[in-house]
Amino acid sequence: MLVSVPPEGAPPRPPRLARPHPLPRLAEPACVLPAPDGVEEFWEDVHRRGTPLLGPDPLGSDDHAAVTFLWRGGPATRAVQVLPNKLGDPRDPEGNLMRRAPGTDVWHWTLRLRHDWRGTYDLYVDEGDGPDPGTPEYWTWLRTRSRTDPFNSRTLPRRWTAEPVPYAELPAAPSAGDWVPRPGVARGSVAEHKVSGRRVWLYEPPRTEAEVADLLVLLDGEHWQPLLGLNHLLDNLIADGRIPPVAAVLPEAVDEATRWTELACRPEYVAFLADEVLPWAATRLPVTDDPARTVIAGQSLGGLTAAYAASVAPHRFGNALVQSGSFWWPVGPEAEWFTRALADTPRLPVRFRLSFGEQEWVALPAARRLRDTLAQAGYDDASYREFNGGHDYLCWRTELADGLVELLGR
């Protein structure tokens, strides 16, 4: 097991790095912009098609597309900023500003993207009631002017607030169909409980009475179950025979401040999971105590914590399903602490499955160093992949499904 002691009081925020490659912006949109007398017809067509609009790649590639985000402005609109997940640089906010078609209310912004990209996005609209553009406080103020996309009905619940956030998926993006409830599929049951005062959701799979279920511990449970419906995914994967019956335990993160404190390689939190949550689950359901049939999964800081928990408690967690893990942690003289600690530890009986977004320019350098460290340390069964997306639940949904099949599929 990993015995190094993580640093106390480490800075919780990721490093501030400039985007290494400029956004693939296009001057021309993926549609014909209207003349002033054709605006109504244009918006009627947009309403039918939905946003963003897709068009052929101007460079002629079959595996790229022009992707145009739109906003219908008003007389007072001064600026519109669009921020697809991780397709923007905080140090260059002007790069994500839309342009207005002369003489119209059409605001537009276009990227050239590979045809397997997907991502959520935010829109911020300046209607002339804020500080002057160019002042130090302008960009901070603009980020308070969030708007929904009236031409896009595809949304996910936003983290913490559950407000809808729109998303886009290009034609070759992985399908999230496994998350949709299917008629005729045997359904497991979900109940909310309290363990040591913390909410925990417990999913019981459909199974025979004597069958012992495999076990998934998934962090940030208040988002994955009540808002995203993890039970539907597990129902479908089990019904398809892609995974055996799996019970799932989903502890809540409580709030953002608690999450930053606990999901930073804290031995006390791992003890809560291994010594309280797992024994509690075993009193409610016939679940395995075999670490090889137990998966701990998490995203971002949760991904870091999943890897850490498996490393300090491999007798309980034999599989770490890590998505966009914050392996940059902490910032400062002990940066990337987990990777260095793992390199100094004899190989553990843990199987790692890691995935990261190609657009996560802050996380990727540390992720690739961890990948190389695992290879050098003899983790021949570890897997690593990069998907075309960002730091995004839209991507994490399908990555979670694929990871469970990879780690638990028979």
Side-chain angles (χ1 to χ4, degrees):
M1 62 182 290
L2 190 108
V3 294
S4 298
V5 179
E8 291 282 354
R13 294 296 187 257
R16 289 185 58 82
L17 303 176
R19 186 178 177 89
H21 307 292
L23 287 174
R25 287 196 61 182
L26 296 174
E28 298 299 325
C31 58
V32 177
L33 296 175
D37 59 356
V39 166
E40 291 302 326
E41 183 179 357
F42 173 83
W43 287 118
E44 288 174 5
D45 180 60
V46 169
H47 186 268
R48 285 192 299 269
R49 296 170 62 184
T51 50
L53 301 182
L54 304 186
D57 177 19
L59 301 184
S61 169
D62 291 334
D63 60 1
H64 283 71
V67 182
T68 295
F69 297 85
L70 294 168
W71 178 258
R72 187 169 194 178
T77 305
R78 292 193 302 182
V80 183
Q81 186 184 53
V82 55
L83 289 177
N85 193 294
K86 299 305 176 188
L87 291 180
D89 189 338
R91 300 188 178 195
D92 179 28
E94 293 94 339
N96 286 70
L97 287 178
M98 291 186 175
R99 292 189 297 173
R100 184 169 66 89
T104 75
D105 57 6
V106 178
W107 292 76
H108 60 95
W109 187 80
T110 302
L111 290 179
R112 178 181 183 261
L113 296 173
R114 205 172 67 219
H115 63 352
D116 59 347
W117 176 84
R118 59 201 153 139
T120 55
Y121 61 94
D122 291 291
L123 293 164
Y124 302 98
V125 182
D126 174 358
E127 296 290 6
D129 54 347
D132 291 335
T135 58
E137 64 271 20
Y138 179 73
W139 297 110
T140 301
W141 170 84
L142 184 59
R143 290 291 293 272
T144 69
R145 318 310 292 173
S146 178
R147 298 290 187 271
T148 60
D149 187 342
F151 302 108
N152 188 353
S153 61
R154 298 169 297 174
T155 65
L156 283 183
R158 193 183 299 275
R159 187 74 170 103
W160 302 118
T161 66
E163 296 173 352
V165 57
Y167 67 83
E169 295 176 307
L170 300 199
S175 169
D178 289 330
W179 286 83
V180 179
R182 298 178 192 162
V185 166
R187 303 195 185 284
S189 61
V190 182
E192 179 184 321
H193 304 270
K194 286 282 185 76
V195 178
S196 297
R198 184 185 301 247
R199 290 185 300 167
V200 175
W201 287 264
L202 182 63
Y203 166 84
E204 180 178 2
R207 56 182 174 78
T208 62
E209 183 134 351
E211 196 170 19
V212 175
D214 287 9
L215 186 60
L216 165 66
V217 177
L218 180 57
L219 307 181
D220 294 305
E222 73 275 23
H223 194 70
W224 280 109
Q225 180 50 55
L227 298 181
L228 294 180
L230 176 79
N231 59 308
H232 302 310
L233 170 71
L234 297 180
D235 288 344
N236 291 335
L237 294 181
I238 293 168
D240 291 347
R242 286 183 279 170
I243 60 173
V246 174
V249 182
L250 300 97
E252 69 169 339
V254 182
D255 55 41
E256 196 165 6
T258 302
R259 188 174 188 271
W260 276 109
T261 300
E262 293 185 336
L263 302 190
C265 299
R266 300 266 60 88
E268 303 84 359
Y269 186 72
V270 176
F272 165 69
L273 297 176
D275 301 334
E276 295 187 54
V277 173
L278 293 192
W280 168 84
T283 67
R284 313 283 307 193
L285 298 174
V287 295
T288 185
D289 60 2
D290 180 358
R293 295 173 57 195
T294 304
V295 175
I296 182 166
Q299 301 74 34
S300 194
L301 283 174
L304 170 69
T305 298
Y308 175 72
S311 300
V312 298
H315 61 292
R316 301 310 307 266
F317 306 109
N319 300 276
L321 203 172
V322 177
Q323 299 168 265
S324 301
S326 301
F327 295 108
W328 48 263
W329 181 90
V331 174
E334 297 187 83
E336 300 181 34
W337 172 85
F338 176 80
T339 298
R340 292 184 291 104
L342 192 67
D344 294 334
T345 303
R347 191 196 189 286
L348 301 166
V350 175
R351 189 176 177 195
F352 291 92
R353 201 270 185 184
L354 301 93
S355 62
F356 291 82
E358 293 178 13
Q359 312 303 333
E360 297 186 84
W361 77 88
V362 171
L364 277 180
R368 291 167 179 166
R369 283 189 282 271
L370 175 60
R371 173 199 62 194
D372 296 343
T373 296
L374 287 170
Q376 293 162 8
Y379 289 87
D380 299 329
D381 55 357
S383 67
Y384 176 94
R385 73 175 236 97
E386 295 179 7
F387 53 84
N388 190 8
H391 204 73
D392 202 331
Y393 278 95
L394 182 71
C395 304
W396 294 338
R397 290 190 305 171
T398 54
E399 290 297 314
L400 180 67
D402 291 346
L404 290 175
V405 172
E406 181 179 323
L407 294 173
L408 295 178
R410 297 291 185 252

